[in-house]
Amino acid sequence: MAISSTNKLALGLINCSLLALLSGCGGGSTMTDNNNSNGDGDTGNSINWTQGVFQPSSNFYQQCQALNEKHWLRSWSNETYLWYDEIIDRDPALTPTVSEYFTLLKTEQITDSGANKDNFHSSLPTAEWEAQSQSGVTFGYGFKVKIISSKAPRQGVISYTEPNSPASAQNLARGFEILEVDGVDFVNATTQTEVDILNAGLNPTRTGKSTTFVFKDINTDETREVTLNSQTITSQPVTNVKTLADGTVGYFQFNSHNAIAEKPLYDAFNNLKASNVTDLIIDIRYNGGGFLQMASQVAYMIAGSANTNGKIFEKTIFNDQHPTFNPVTGQRLEPVMFTDEFVGFADNPALMPGTPLPSLNLERVYLLTTSSTCSASEAIMNGLRGADIEVIQIGSGTCGKPYGFYPTDNCDTTYFSIQFTGENNKGFGEYADGFAPQNTTDNARLPVRVEGCAVADDFSHQLGDPEEAMLKAALDYRANGSCPAASSIASKQGFAPARFSDTPAVQDSRAATLAEQNKILPRQ
């Protein structure tokens, strides 16, 4: 069903201008903040603070002194954060910086399985966020790493490389395992100082960062030392579009729901439709998420009009203060339907917004997943299941992210704070521990079980190779309905034996990476 221009989600990102949604009165103690994270100096302004009493966030919007910024964050979080009533209300003047105060404005509760309820609270300079979301640009070397074990004995393996990047120029490829970073033993490093070097090398925050790596090819055991210089990397969100099984099965790798993915997705489905495929395998094992409406486009292009007409893809639900109106846009709450037309997320979109999307009109789809499959990718699964499309999951459990946000700018910083959850056409949306194939043996979490096969990520074959374990399992399940023996989420073991166990974790804590693992709604 076509969506009207008034209901369609608009382009990309627009700086927010929040409505004065909640009335609040001042009063109580008066505090003055002598800290300014922007370096502008103290303005001398005094702002009243009383625990549990909130002024409208619009009273402080784009007032870029530290205390004003913190009061904006406090009020904005109270208005829009999904679990606003679980935030401990602290005096903003008593926290040194804006960024430190923002980290406190989230729930500290955990799920039934013991995981943190909110693992995705982050911020990013607005210019960097816009570059990332609009053009797919990030800092790096052109390889993506899957961290299988973040603590010693660690294991990190290149999952894929981007073309025309420093990594591809050095012939690095999927299956190269990290042994050293700038002289530090990646597998067995024990100290925080060593792990800081590992994190800085793996996750550059600027161009021109020179890092020396030692890799091992897990297929040959050959080791290589390579020095790479970081640069801005433009990702290819859709790759490996092909047909398999005598041309009857379509396959493609879908890495990100970012703005530049819309046209390649359109082209991929057109190509597969022209090939008259009868089944589809989408490889979303490393897709952390992005635009929610793009997920609804993908779901529509899989299922088509007859299977989705009049059905909700995702109903967005905000906190209990806002049962009828969207607290960010002020508009009446309307569900995201299955989107059947080109939206135009990117600047200067390649097609006219409103161009009809192709569809394969399928009643089942195979999705290849790992723990790196998050948010908007999980929304594809949930939305299709709500429309009675058979979703067959091959791989390991997804990350568990049924929540999302509107990226919100204030004073040149864009904030990502959980604002809504979602339910499909059947009213289901509780998958905080992710989706997992029905025969998964890992019981540490409480995922939603889905038809399919638990299969470990196979780094000994390239993505799209019919012999790669997950893709092979999908093809075999289609042919005979059976799964291989359930395999562990761990892949082939690392180069060195374990020497330590309780050590600091290697992790990509860049806000840009955290921001990718969300469902995003742009403003209407």
Side-chain angles (χ1 to χ4, degrees), residues 99-376:
S99 60
E100 288 175 298
Y101 185 65
F102 177 65
T103 63
L104 302 175
L105 296 174
K106 69 183 187 72
T107 180
E108 299 300 329
Q109 295 193 17
I110 60 175
T111 68
D112 290 342
S113 68
N116 290 330
K117 193 172 181 178
D118 184 354
N119 275 321
F120 303 94
H121 197 68
S122 60
S123 64
L124 195 65
T126 298
E128 186 177 340
W129 165 245
E130 289 180 345
Q132 173 191 329
S133 63
Q134 282 295 306
S135 62
V137 171
T138 56
F139 300 126
Y141 313 101
F143 60 72
K144 297 289 185 178
V145 174
K146 177 67 176 179
I147 301 295
I148 298 165
S149 175
S150 64
K151 295 186 177 183
R154 298 178 190 85
Q155 186 177 25
V157 185
I158 292 180
S159 54
Y160 66 93
T161 59
E162 298 287 358
N164 303 314
S165 67
S168 61
Q170 293 285 347
N171 296 316
L172 299 178
R174 177 177 174 83
F176 277 73
E177 187 173 8
I178 303 169
L179 302 184
E180 293 182 12
V181 179
D182 281 337
V184 174
D185 181 351
F186 177 85
V187 178
N188 296 302
T190 60
T191 69
Q192 187 62 58
T193 298
E194 290 174 316
V195 172
D196 287 344
I197 294 172
L198 297 176
N199 283 327
L202 286 168
N203 308 306
T205 57
R206 58 177 175 84
T207 60
K209 170 74 169 68
S210 179
T211 304
T212 299
F213 298 90
V214 176
F215 292 102
K216 182 193 72 169
D217 186 331
I218 64 173
N219 289 309
T220 66
D221 287 339
E222 175 189 357
T223 61
R224 288 180 56 196
E225 180 175 296
V226 177
T227 298
L228 301 174
N229 292 314
S230 66
Q231 63 184 45
T232 55
I233 302 294
T234 301
S235 66
Q236 288 197 356
V238 180
T239 61
N240 271 340
V241 182
K242 63 178 71 176
T243 58
L244 304 166
D246 298 323
T248 57
V249 178
Y251 168 90
F252 65 88
Q253 181 184 340
F254 180 26
N255 297 325
S256 177
H257 292 72
N258 61 14
I260 62 171
E262 188 176 19
K263 179 58 162 57
L265 285 168
Y266 175 89
D267 292 340
F269 277 95
N270 263 324
N271 290 339
L272 296 175
K273 182 177 182 179
S275 298
N276 296 312
V277 299
T278 58
D279 274 299
L280 177 64
I281 302 170
I282 305 182
D283 197 333
I284 53 173
R285 72 182 78 187
Y286 306 126
N287 191 321
F291 288 109
L292 177 62
Q293 195 180 15
M294 187 175 290
S296 78
Q297 290 176 310
V298 172
Y300 170 80
M301 288 189 283
I302 293 168
S305 178
N307 291 317
T308 61
N309 188 29
K311 295 179 181 178
I312 292 170
F313 176 72
E314 181 163 305
K315 176 184 177 183
T316 52
I317 300 170
F318 291 82
N319 69 46
D320 60 11
Q321 301 172 110
H322 310 291
T324 306
F325 292 94
N326 184 315
V328 178
T329 68
Q331 297 179 359
R332 184 174 292 275
L333 289 174
E334 298 289 346
V336 175
M337 308 302 286
F338 286 81
T339 303
D340 63 358
E341 63 185 34
F342 196 88
V343 172
F345 292 97
D347 294 332
N348 302 312
L351 293 176
M352 181 72 67
T355 300
L357 296 178
S359 63
L360 301 181
N361 302 307
L362 300 176
E363 295 185 351
R364 69 178 176 185
V365 65
Y366 298 81
L367 298 176
L368 309 186
T369 68
T370 67
S371 60
S372 298
T373 305
C374 296
S375 60

Side-chain angles (χ1 to χ4, degrees), residues 404-476:
F405 57 75
Y406 287 82
T408 303
D409 167 69
N410 189 59
C411 298
D412 297 324
T413 298
T414 297
Y415 294 95
F416 313 102
S417 186
I418 299 301
Q419 294 166 319
F420 63 87
T421 187
E423 293 180 350
N424 64 19
N425 194 62
K426 295 182 177 181
F428 179 78
E430 184 45 59
Y431 51 92
D433 279 339
F435 295 98
Q438 58 191 357
N439 66 337
T440 298
T441 57
D442 180 5
N443 295 316
R445 305 176 76 202
L446 301 172
V448 177
R449 300 284 176 147
V450 177
E451 179 185 358
C453 308
V455 180
D457 206 352
D458 174 13
F459 294 98
S460 65
H461 292 84
Q462 298 303 304
L463 297 176
D465 182 343
E467 291 302 310
E468 188 275 321
M470 289 168 62
L471 180 52
K472 186 176 188 301
L475 293 169
D476 289 348

Side-chain angles (χ1 to χ4, degrees), residues 63-134:
Q63 297 178 22
C64 300
Q65 297 78 35
L67 185 58
N68 302 64
E69 287 188 67
K70 285 184 275 188
H71 273 276
W72 177 82
L73 284 167
R74 174 178 177 262
S75 293
W76 173 70
S77 298
N78 183 67
E79 292 164 0
T80 68
Y81 187 61
L82 184 62
W83 305 290
Y84 71 99
D85 53 351
E86 296 176 14
I87 297 173
I88 299 173
D89 186 21
R90 300 173 173 89
D91 185 349
L94 301 182
T95 302
T97 68
V98 175
S99 60
E100 288 175 298
Y101 185 65
F102 177 65
T103 63
L104 302 175
L105 296 174
K106 69 183 187 72
T107 180
E108 299 300 329
Q109 295 193 17
I110 60 175
T111 68
D112 290 342
S113 68
N116 290 330
K117 193 172 181 178
D118 184 354
N119 275 321
F120 303 94
H121 197 68
S122 60
S123 64
L124 195 65
T126 298
E128 186 177 340
W129 165 245
E130 289 180 345
Q132 173 191 329
S133 63
Q134 282 295 306

